[in-house]
PDB file of all heavy atoms in Angstrom:
ATOM      1  N   ILE A   1      24.990 -82.672 -12.202  1.00 87.00           N
ATOM      2  CA  ILE A   1      25.789 -82.167 -11.093  1.00 87.00           C
ATOM      3  C   ILE A   1      24.967 -82.325  -9.830  1.00 87.00           C
ATOM      4  O   ILE A   1      23.878 -81.763  -9.713  1.00 87.00           O
ATOM      5  CB  ILE A   1      26.177 -80.696 -11.303  1.00 87.00           C
ATOM      6  CG1 ILE A   1      27.004 -80.545 -12.584  1.00 87.00           C
ATOM      7  CG2 ILE A   1      26.954 -80.163 -10.110  1.00 87.00           C
ATOM      8  CD1 ILE A   1      27.389 -79.112 -12.898  1.00 87.00           C
ATOM      9  N   ASP A   2      25.478 -83.111  -8.881  1.00 89.00           N
ATOM     10  CA  ASP A   2      24.733 -83.379  -7.657  1.00 89.00           C
ATOM     11  C   ASP A   2      24.944 -82.264  -6.631  1.00 89.00           C
ATOM     12  O   ASP A   2      26.059 -81.764  -6.467  1.00 89.00           O
ATOM     13  CB  ASP A   2      25.182 -84.702  -7.035  1.00 89.00           C
ATOM     14  CG  ASP A   2      24.785 -85.902  -7.888  1.00 89.00           C
ATOM     15  OD1 ASP A   2      23.964 -85.725  -8.806  1.00 89.00           O
ATOM     16  OD2 ASP A   2      25.306 -87.012  -7.622  1.00 89.00           O
ATOM     17  N   PRO A   3      23.895 -81.881  -5.919  1.00 92.00           N
ATOM     18  CA  PRO A   3      24.068 -80.929  -4.805  1.00 92.00           C
ATOM     19  C   PRO A   3      24.769 -81.611  -3.643  1.00 92.00           C
ATOM     20  O   PRO A   3      24.755 -82.841  -3.522  1.00 92.00           O
ATOM     21  CB  PRO A   3      22.626 -80.548  -4.449  1.00 92.00           C
ATOM     22  CG  PRO A   3      21.813 -81.732  -4.868  1.00 92.00           C
ATOM     23  CD  PRO A   3      22.488 -82.301  -6.091  1.00 92.00           C
ATOM     24  N   VAL A   4      25.376 -80.821  -2.798  1.00 93.00           N
ATOM     25  CA  VAL A   4      26.069 -81.360  -1.623  1.00 93.00           C
ATOM     26  C   VAL A   4      25.561 -80.660  -0.371  1.00 93.00           C
ATOM     27  O   VAL A   4      25.018 -79.554  -0.432  1.00 93.00           O
ATOM     28  CB  VAL A   4      27.604 -81.178  -1.726  1.00 93.00           C
ATOM     29  CG1 VAL A   4      28.139 -81.859  -2.973  1.00 93.00           C
ATOM     30  CG2 VAL A   4      27.979 -79.703  -1.703  1.00 93.00           C
ATOM     31  N   GLU A   5      25.744 -81.320   0.748  1.00 94.00           N
ATOM     32  CA  GLU A   5      25.439 -80.731   2.049  1.00 94.00           C
ATOM     33  C   GLU A   5      26.743 -80.490   2.794  1.00 94.00           C
ATOM     34  O   GLU A   5      27.575 -81.397   2.918  1.00 94.00           O
ATOM     35  CB  GLU A   5      24.534 -81.650   2.869  1.00 94.00           C
ATOM     36  CG  GLU A   5      23.074 -81.592   2.466  1.00 94.00           C
ATOM     37  CD  GLU A   5      22.182 -82.346   3.435  1.00 94.00           C
ATOM     38  OE1 GLU A   5      22.707 -83.182   4.211  1.00 94.00           O
ATOM     39  OE2 GLU A   5      20.958 -82.095   3.421  1.00 94.00           O
ATOM     40  N   ILE A   6      26.911 -79.278   3.270  1.00 94.00           N
ATOM     41  CA  ILE A   6      28.088 -78.917   4.065  1.00 94.00           C
ATOM     42  C   ILE A   6      27.636 -78.791   5.511  1.00 94.00           C
ATOM     43  O   ILE A   6      26.742 -78.010   5.828  1.00 94.00           O
ATOM     44  CB  ILE A   6      28.699 -77.597   3.567  1.00 94.00           C
ATOM     45  CG1 ILE A   6      29.005 -77.693   2.078  1.00 94.00           C
ATOM     46  CG2 ILE A   6      29.951 -77.242   4.361  1.00 94.00           C
ATOM     47  CD1 ILE A   6      29.386 -76.373   1.461  1.00 94.00           C
ATOM     48  N   LYS A   7      28.254 -79.582   6.392  1.00 93.00           N
ATOM     49  CA  LYS A   7      27.890 -79.575   7.809  1.00 93.00           C
ATOM     50  C   LYS A   7      29.093 -79.159   8.635  1.00 93.00           C
ATOM     51  O   LYS A   7      30.218 -79.571   8.353  1.00 93.00           O
ATOM     52  CB  LYS A   7      27.403 -80.962   8.245  1.00 93.00           C
ATOM     53  CG  LYS A   7      26.114 -81.421   7.572  1.00 93.00           C
ATOM     54  CD  LYS A   7      25.670 -82.771   8.115  1.00 93.00           C
ATOM     55  CE  LYS A   7      24.371 -83.229   7.460  1.00 93.00           C
ATOM     56  NZ  LYS A   7      23.919 -84.538   7.988  1.00 93.00           N
ATOM     57  N   TRP A   8      28.846 -78.345   9.644  1.00 91.00           N
ATOM     58  CA  TRP A   8      29.918 -77.983  10.569  1.00 91.00           C
ATOM     59  C   TRP A   8      29.351 -77.758  11.959  1.00 91.00           C
ATOM     60  O   TRP A   8      28.172 -77.464  12.123  1.00 91.00           O
ATOM     61  CB  TRP A   8      30.694 -76.756  10.077  1.00 91.00           C
ATOM     62  CG  TRP A   8      29.964 -75.458  10.053  1.00 91.00           C
ATOM     63  CD1 TRP A   8      30.029 -74.446  10.983  1.00 91.00           C
ATOM     64  CD2 TRP A   8      29.069 -74.973   9.032  1.00 91.00           C
ATOM     65  NE1 TRP A   8      29.244 -73.383  10.616  1.00 91.00           N
ATOM     66  CE2 TRP A   8      28.646 -73.669   9.418  1.00 91.00           C
ATOM     67  CE3 TRP A   8      28.580 -75.508   7.839  1.00 91.00           C
ATOM     68  CZ2 TRP A   8      27.763 -72.906   8.655  1.00 91.00           C
ATOM     69  CZ3 TRP A   8      27.705 -74.744   7.076  1.00 91.00           C
ATOM     70  CH2 TRP A   8      27.308 -73.468   7.490  1.00 91.00           C
ATOM     71  N   GLU A   9      30.202 -77.939  12.941  1.00 84.00           N
ATOM     72  CA  GLU A   9      29.790 -77.848  14.332  1.00 84.00           C
ATOM     73  C   GLU A   9      30.558 -76.741  15.038  1.00 84.00           C
ATOM     74  O   GLU A   9      31.770 -76.599  14.856  1.00 84.00           O
ATOM     75  CB  GLU A   9      30.027 -79.175  15.064  1.00 84.00           C
ATOM     76  CG  GLU A   9      29.181 -80.319  14.541  1.00 84.00           C
ATOM     77  CD  GLU A   9      29.424 -81.607  15.295  1.00 84.00           C
ATOM     78  OE1 GLU A   9      30.399 -81.653  16.070  1.00 84.00           O
ATOM     79  OE2 GLU A   9      28.636 -82.551  15.133  1.00 84.00           O
ATOM     80  N   VAL A  10      29.851 -75.976  15.831  1.00 76.00           N
ATOM     81  CA  VAL A  10      30.458 -74.926  16.651  1.00 76.00           C
ATOM     82  C   VAL A  10      30.422 -75.383  18.099  1.00 76.00           C
ATOM     83  O   VAL A  10      29.366 -75.742  18.617  1.00 76.00           O
ATOM     84  CB  VAL A  10      29.717 -73.583  16.482  1.00 76.00           C
ATOM     85  CG1 VAL A  10      30.358 -72.518  17.357  1.00 76.00           C
ATOM     86  CG2 VAL A  10      29.724 -73.157  15.023  1.00 76.00           C
ATOM     87  N   SER A  11      31.571 -75.415  18.729  1.00 67.00           N
ATOM     88  CA  SER A  11      31.686 -75.951  20.086  1.00 67.00           C
ATOM     89  C   SER A  11      31.070 -75.008  21.116  1.00 67.00           C
ATOM     90  O   SER A  11      30.921 -73.799  20.872  1.00 67.00           O
ATOM     91  CB  SER A  11      33.152 -76.188  20.441  1.00 67.00           C
ATOM     92  OG  SER A  11      33.732 -77.093  19.531  1.00 67.00           O
ATOM     93  N   PRO A  12      30.737 -75.507  22.296  1.00 53.00           N
ATOM     94  CA  PRO A  12      30.212 -74.652  23.369  1.00 53.00           C
ATOM     95  C   PRO A  12      31.205 -73.561  23.732  1.00 53.00           C
ATOM     96  O   PRO A  12      32.417 -73.758  23.690  1.00 53.00           O
ATOM     97  CB  PRO A  12      30.025 -75.633  24.527  1.00 53.00           C
ATOM     98  CG  PRO A  12      29.907 -76.972  23.885  1.00 53.00           C
ATOM     99  CD  PRO A  12      30.774 -76.923  22.669  1.00 53.00           C
ATOM    100  N   GLY A  13      30.683 -72.415  24.079  1.00 49.00           N
ATOM    101  CA  GLY A  13      31.535 -71.306  24.474  1.00 49.00           C
ATOM    102  C   GLY A  13      31.982 -70.443  23.320  1.00 49.00           C
ATOM    103  O   GLY A  13      32.720 -69.485  23.514  1.00 49.00           O
ATOM    104  N   SER A  14      31.557 -70.784  22.091  1.00 47.00           N
ATOM    105  CA  SER A  14      31.925 -69.986  20.932  1.00 47.00           C
ATOM    106  C   SER A  14      30.944 -68.837  20.772  1.00 47.00           C
ATOM    107  O   SER A  14      29.766 -69.043  20.489  1.00 47.00           O
ATOM    108  CB  SER A  14      31.915 -70.849  19.660  1.00 47.00           C
ATOM    109  OG  SER A  14      32.860 -71.878  19.771  1.00 47.00           O
ATOM    110  N   GLY A  15      31.409 -67.627  20.973  1.00 47.00           N
ATOM    111  CA  GLY A  15      30.545 -66.463  20.835  1.00 47.00           C
ATOM    112  C   GLY A  15      29.430 -66.492  21.852  1.00 47.00           C
ATOM    113  O   GLY A  15      29.613 -66.799  23.022  1.00 47.00           O
ATOM    114  N   ASN A  16      28.217 -66.225  21.383  1.00 45.00           N
ATOM    115  CA  ASN A  16      27.050 -66.221  22.268  1.00 45.00           C
ATOM    116  C   ASN A  16      26.267 -67.519  22.182  1.00 45.00           C
ATOM    117  O   ASN A  16      25.152 -67.615  22.685  1.00 45.00           O
ATOM    118  CB  ASN A  16      26.131 -65.039  21.893  1.00 45.00           C
ATOM    119  CG  ASN A  16      26.818 -63.711  22.139  1.00 45.00           C
ATOM    120  OD1 ASN A  16      27.555 -63.563  23.106  1.00 45.00           O
ATOM    121  ND2 ASN A  16      26.569 -62.743  21.272  1.00 45.00           N
ATOM    122  N   LEU A  17      26.861 -68.547  21.500  1.00 45.00           N
ATOM    123  CA  LEU A  17      26.143 -69.790  21.334  1.00 45.00           C
ATOM    124  C   LEU A  17      26.211 -70.621  22.603  1.00 45.00           C
ATOM    125  O   LEU A  17      27.206 -70.626  23.307  1.00 45.00           O
ATOM    126  CB  LEU A  17      26.739 -70.579  20.154  1.00 45.00           C
ATOM    127  CG  LEU A  17      26.670 -69.870  18.800  1.00 45.00           C
ATOM    128  CD1 LEU A  17      27.416 -70.683  17.753  1.00 45.00           C
ATOM    129  CD2 LEU A  17      25.228 -69.682  18.382  1.00 45.00           C
ATOM    130  N   ARG A  18      25.154 -71.365  22.881  1.00 44.00           N
ATOM    131  CA  ARG A  18      25.097 -72.214  24.060  1.00 44.00           C
ATOM    132  C   ARG A  18      24.902 -73.658  23.599  1.00 44.00           C
ATOM    133  O   ARG A  18      23.947 -73.970  22.918  1.00 44.00           O
ATOM    134  CB  ARG A  18      23.946 -71.796  24.976  1.00 44.00           C
ATOM    135  CG  ARG A  18      24.110 -70.385  25.543  1.00 44.00           C
ATOM    136  CD  ARG A  18      22.945 -70.026  26.445  1.00 44.00           C
ATOM    137  NE  ARG A  18      23.105 -68.696  27.003  1.00 44.00           N
ATOM    138  CZ  ARG A  18      22.206 -68.118  27.799  1.00 44.00           C
ATOM    139  NH1 ARG A  18      21.095 -68.768  28.119  1.00 44.00           N
ATOM    140  NH2 ARG A  18      22.414 -66.898  28.261  1.00 44.00           N
ATOM    141  N   GLY A  19      25.804 -74.522  23.996  1.00 48.00           N
ATOM    142  CA  GLY A  19      25.705 -75.910  23.600  1.00 48.00           C
ATOM    143  C   GLY A  19      26.259 -76.147  22.206  1.00 48.00           C
ATOM    144  O   GLY A  19      26.465 -75.224  21.434  1.00 48.00           O
ATOM    145  N   GLU A  20      26.512 -77.408  21.893  1.00 52.00           N
ATOM    146  CA  GLU A  20      27.026 -77.780  20.571  1.00 52.00           C
ATOM    147  C   GLU A  20      25.970 -77.478  19.516  1.00 52.00           C
ATOM    148  O   GLU A  20      24.810 -77.863  19.646  1.00 52.00           O
ATOM    149  CB  GLU A  20      27.386 -79.266  20.561  1.00 52.00           C
ATOM    150  CG  GLU A  20      28.109 -79.710  19.309  1.00 52.00           C
ATOM    151  CD  GLU A  20      29.608 -79.667  19.485  1.00 52.00           C
ATOM    152  OE1 GLU A  20      30.081 -79.291  20.574  1.00 52.00           O
ATOM    153  OE2 GLU A  20      30.299 -80.016  18.525  1.00 52.00           O
ATOM    154  N   THR A  21      26.362 -76.787  18.480  1.00 80.00           N
ATOM    155  CA  THR A  21      25.417 -76.396  17.440  1.00 80.00           C
ATOM    156  C   THR A  21      25.923 -76.881  16.090  1.00 80.00           C
ATOM    157  O   THR A  21      27.078 -76.645  15.737  1.00 80.00           O
ATOM    158  CB  THR A  21      25.236 -74.874  17.400  1.00 80.00           C
ATOM    159  OG1 THR A  21      24.845 -74.430  18.702  1.00 80.00           O
ATOM    160  CG2 THR A  21      24.173 -74.484  16.399  1.00 80.00           C
ATOM    161  N   THR A  22      25.062 -77.576  15.359  1.00 84.00           N
ATOM    162  CA  THR A  22      25.404 -78.078  14.039  1.00 84.00           C
ATOM    163  C   THR A  22      24.654 -77.287  12.983  1.00 84.00           C
ATOM    164  O   THR A  22      23.443 -77.078  13.089  1.00 84.00           O
ATOM    165  CB  THR A  22      25.051 -79.574  13.912  1.00 84.00           C
ATOM    166  OG1 THR A  22      25.758 -80.310  14.916  1.00 84.00           O
ATOM    167  CG2 THR A  22      25.442 -80.097  12.550  1.00 84.00           C
ATOM    168  N   PHE A  23      25.386 -76.857  11.971  1.00 87.00           N
ATOM    169  CA  PHE A  23      24.788 -76.105  10.878  1.00 87.00           C
ATOM    170  C   PHE A  23      24.933 -76.891   9.585  1.00 87.00           C
ATOM    171  O   PHE A  23      25.908 -77.621   9.382  1.00 87.00           O
ATOM    172  CB  PHE A  23      25.472 -74.742  10.715  1.00 87.00           C
ATOM    173  CG  PHE A  23      25.375 -73.874  11.951  1.00 87.00           C
ATOM    174  CD1 PHE A  23      26.423 -73.799  12.845  1.00 87.00           C
ATOM    175  CD2 PHE A  23      24.226 -73.146  12.206  1.00 87.00           C
ATOM    176  CE1 PHE A  23      26.345 -73.010  13.978  1.00 87.00           C
ATOM    177  CE2 PHE A  23      24.128 -72.352  13.338  1.00 87.00           C
ATOM    178  CZ  PHE A  23      25.196 -72.288  14.228  1.00 87.00           C
ATOM    179  N   THR A  24      23.940 -76.747   8.713  1.00 89.00           N
ATOM    180  CA  THR A  24      23.944 -77.441   7.428  1.00 89.00           C
ATOM    181  C   THR A  24      23.530 -76.477   6.324  1.00 89.00           C
ATOM    182  O   THR A  24      22.533 -75.760   6.467  1.00 89.00           O
ATOM    183  CB  THR A  24      22.980 -78.643   7.441  1.00 89.00           C
ATOM    184  OG1 THR A  24      23.352 -79.538   8.488  1.00 89.00           O
ATOM    185  CG2 THR A  24      23.026 -79.379   6.106  1.00 89.00           C
ATOM    186  N   GLU A  25      24.302 -76.451   5.262  1.00 90.00           N
ATOM    187  CA  GLU A  25      23.973 -75.633   4.098  1.00 90.00           C
ATOM    188  C   GLU A  25      24.068 -76.514   2.851  1.00 90.00           C
ATOM    189  O   GLU A  25      24.955 -77.365   2.743  1.00 90.00           O
ATOM    190  CB  GLU A  25      24.940 -74.454   3.953  1.00 90.00           C
ATOM    191  CG  GLU A  25      24.754 -73.358   4.989  1.00 90.00           C
ATOM    192  CD  GLU A  25      23.547 -72.473   4.705  1.00 90.00           C
ATOM    193  OE1 GLU A  25      23.049 -72.521   3.559  1.00 90.00           O
ATOM    194  OE2 GLU A  25      23.116 -71.743   5.615  1.00 90.00           O
ATOM    195  N   THR A  26      23.147 -76.307   1.929  1.00 92.00           N
ATOM    196  CA  THR A  26      23.159 -77.039   0.657  1.00 92.00           C
ATOM    197  C   THR A  26      23.727 -76.149  -0.447  1.00 92.00           C
ATOM    198  O   THR A  26      23.322 -74.995  -0.576  1.00 92.00           O
ATOM    199  CB  THR A  26      21.744 -77.506   0.275  1.00 92.00           C
ATOM    200  OG1 THR A  26      21.242 -78.383   1.287  1.00 92.00           O
ATOM    201  CG2 THR A  26      21.759 -78.238  -1.065  1.00 92.00           C
ATOM    202  N   ARG A  27      24.672 -76.681  -1.194  1.00 92.00           N
ATOM    203  CA  ARG A  27      25.267 -75.954  -2.308  1.00 92.00           C
ATOM    204  C   ARG A  27      25.355 -76.884  -3.519  1.00 92.00           C
ATOM    205  O   ARG A  27      25.555 -78.090  -3.382  1.00 92.00           O
ATOM    206  CB  ARG A  27      26.666 -75.456  -1.953  1.00 92.00           C
ATOM    207  CG  ARG A  27      26.708 -74.403  -0.852  1.00 92.00           C
ATOM    208  CD  ARG A  27      26.140 -73.076  -1.333  1.00 92.00           C
ATOM    209  NE  ARG A  27      26.222 -72.049  -0.311  1.00 92.00           N
ATOM    210  CZ  ARG A  27      25.270 -71.781   0.566  1.00 92.00           C
ATOM    211  NH1 ARG A  27      24.144 -72.491   0.533  1.00 92.00           N
ATOM    212  NH2 ARG A  27      25.422 -70.832   1.471  1.00 92.00           N
ATOM    213  N   THR A  28      25.208 -76.292  -4.701  1.00 90.00           N
ATOM    214  CA  THR A  28      25.345 -77.043  -5.945  1.00 90.00           C
ATOM    215  C   THR A  28      26.546 -76.513  -6.709  1.00 90.00           C
ATOM    216  O   THR A  28      26.595 -75.317  -7.036  1.00 90.00           O
ATOM    217  CB  THR A  28      24.083 -76.910  -6.818  1.00 90.00           C
ATOM    218  OG1 THR A  28      22.952 -77.390  -6.090  1.00 90.00           O
ATOM    219  CG2 THR A  28      24.234 -77.708  -8.104  1.00 90.00           C
ATOM    220  N   PRO A  29      27.527 -77.366  -6.995  1.00 90.00           N
ATOM    221  CA  PRO A  29      28.716 -76.907  -7.715  1.00 90.00           C
ATOM    222  C   PRO A  29      28.363 -76.404  -9.114  1.00 90.00           C
ATOM    223  O   PRO A  29      27.380 -76.836  -9.713  1.00 90.00           O
ATOM    224  CB  PRO A  29      29.594 -78.163  -7.793  1.00 90.00           C
ATOM    225  CG  PRO A  29      29.071 -79.073  -6.731  1.00 90.00           C
ATOM    226  CD  PRO A  29      27.612 -78.784  -6.608  1.00 90.00           C
ATOM    227  N   THR A  30      29.179 -75.500  -9.609  1.00 86.00           N
ATOM    228  CA  THR A  30      29.040 -75.055 -10.995  1.00 86.00           C
ATOM    229  C   THR A  30      29.801 -76.026 -11.896  1.00 86.00           C
ATOM    230  O   THR A  30      30.655 -76.793 -11.440  1.00 86.00           O
ATOM    231  CB  THR A  30      29.601 -73.638 -11.179  1.00 86.00           C
ATOM    232  OG1 THR A  30      31.001 -73.639 -10.830  1.00 86.00           O
ATOM    233  CG2 THR A  30      28.871 -72.651 -10.286  1.00 86.00           C
ATOM    234  N   SER A  31      29.498 -75.982 -13.183  1.00 82.00           N
ATOM    235  CA  SER A  31      30.125 -76.910 -14.125  1.00 82.00           C
ATOM    236  C   SER A  31      31.631 -76.708 -14.226  1.00 82.00           C
ATOM    237  O   SER A  31      32.361 -77.615 -14.641  1.00 82.00           O
ATOM    238  CB  SER A  31      29.489 -76.752 -15.508  1.00 82.00           C
ATOM    239  OG  SER A  31      29.638 -75.419 -15.987  1.00 82.00           O
ATOM    240  N   SER A  32      32.115 -75.521 -13.821  1.00 84.00           N
ATOM    241  CA  SER A  32      33.551 -75.253 -13.899  1.00 84.00           C
ATOM    242  C   SER A  32      34.340 -76.083 -12.890  1.00 84.00           C
ATOM    243  O   SER A  32      35.574 -76.080 -12.919  1.00 84.00           O
ATOM    244  CB  SER A  32      33.834 -73.762 -13.678  1.00 84.00           C
ATOM    245  OG  SER A  32      33.432 -73.356 -12.380  1.00 84.00           O
ATOM    246  N   LEU A  33      33.649 -76.814 -12.004  1.00 86.00           N
ATOM    247  CA  LEU A  33      34.347 -77.682 -11.064  1.00 86.00           C
ATOM    248  C   LEU A  33      35.163 -78.729 -11.817  1.00 86.00           C
ATOM    249  O   LEU A  33      36.201 -79.184 -11.336  1.00 86.00           O
ATOM    250  CB  LEU A  33      33.346 -78.354 -10.124  1.00 86.00           C
ATOM    251  CG  LEU A  33      33.919 -79.366  -9.122  1.00 86.00           C
ATOM    252  CD1 LEU A  33      34.933 -78.688  -8.193  1.00 86.00           C
ATOM    253  CD2 LEU A  33      32.816 -80.026  -8.309  1.00 86.00           C
ATOM    254  N   ARG A  34      34.706 -79.112 -13.014  1.00 83.00           N
ATOM    255  CA  ARG A  34      35.433 -80.103 -13.810  1.00 83.00           C
ATOM    256  C   ARG A  34      36.829 -79.614 -14.178  1.00 83.00           C
ATOM    257  O   ARG A  34      37.725 -80.410 -14.450  1.00 83.00           O
ATOM    258  CB  ARG A  34      34.649 -80.430 -15.081  1.00 83.00           C
ATOM    259  CG  ARG A  34      33.328 -81.150 -14.839  1.00 83.00           C
ATOM    260  CD  ARG A  34      32.617 -81.389 -16.143  1.00 83.00           C
ATOM    261  NE  ARG A  34      32.322 -80.119 -16.815  1.00 83.00           N
ATOM    262  CZ  ARG A  34      32.137 -79.991 -18.122  1.00 83.00           C
ATOM    263  NH1 ARG A  34      32.293 -81.035 -18.909  1.00 83.00           N
ATOM    264  NH2 ARG A  34      31.833 -78.821 -18.639  1.00 83.00           N
ATOM    265  N   LEU A  35      37.018 -78.290 -14.213  1.00 84.00           N
ATOM    266  CA  LEU A  35      38.299 -77.711 -14.600  1.00 84.00           C
ATOM    267  C   LEU A  35      39.110 -77.234 -13.408  1.00 84.00           C
ATOM    268  O   LEU A  35      40.233 -76.761 -13.571  1.00 84.00           O
ATOM    269  CB  LEU A  35      38.060 -76.518 -15.539  1.00 84.00           C
ATOM    270  CG  LEU A  35      37.150 -76.775 -16.739  1.00 84.00           C
ATOM    271  CD1 LEU A  35      36.879 -75.471 -17.473  1.00 84.00           C
ATOM    272  CD2 LEU A  35      37.764 -77.792 -17.673  1.00 84.00           C
TER     273      LEU A  35
END
């Protein structure tokens, strides 16, 4: 089972964030994904 990277971007003006911000999280699916 291969791990995956989830990336998302938060646009300027969102909350207290300044400038475009990209976040990345690594997750590994469980074997139940086959079902």
Side-chain angles (χ1 to χ4, degrees):
I1 300 178
D2 292 347
V4 302
E5 281 189 342
I6 305 170
K7 295 183 179 181
W8 67 100
E9 295 181 349
V10 179
S11 301
S14 298
N16 296 323
L17 299 174
R18 296 180 179 178
E20 188 94 0
T21 305
T22 301
F23 300 99
T24 302
E25 288 283 344
T26 299
R27 294 290 182 268
T28 301
T30 60
S31 59
S32 63
L33 177 61
R34 293 178 299 156
L35 309 173

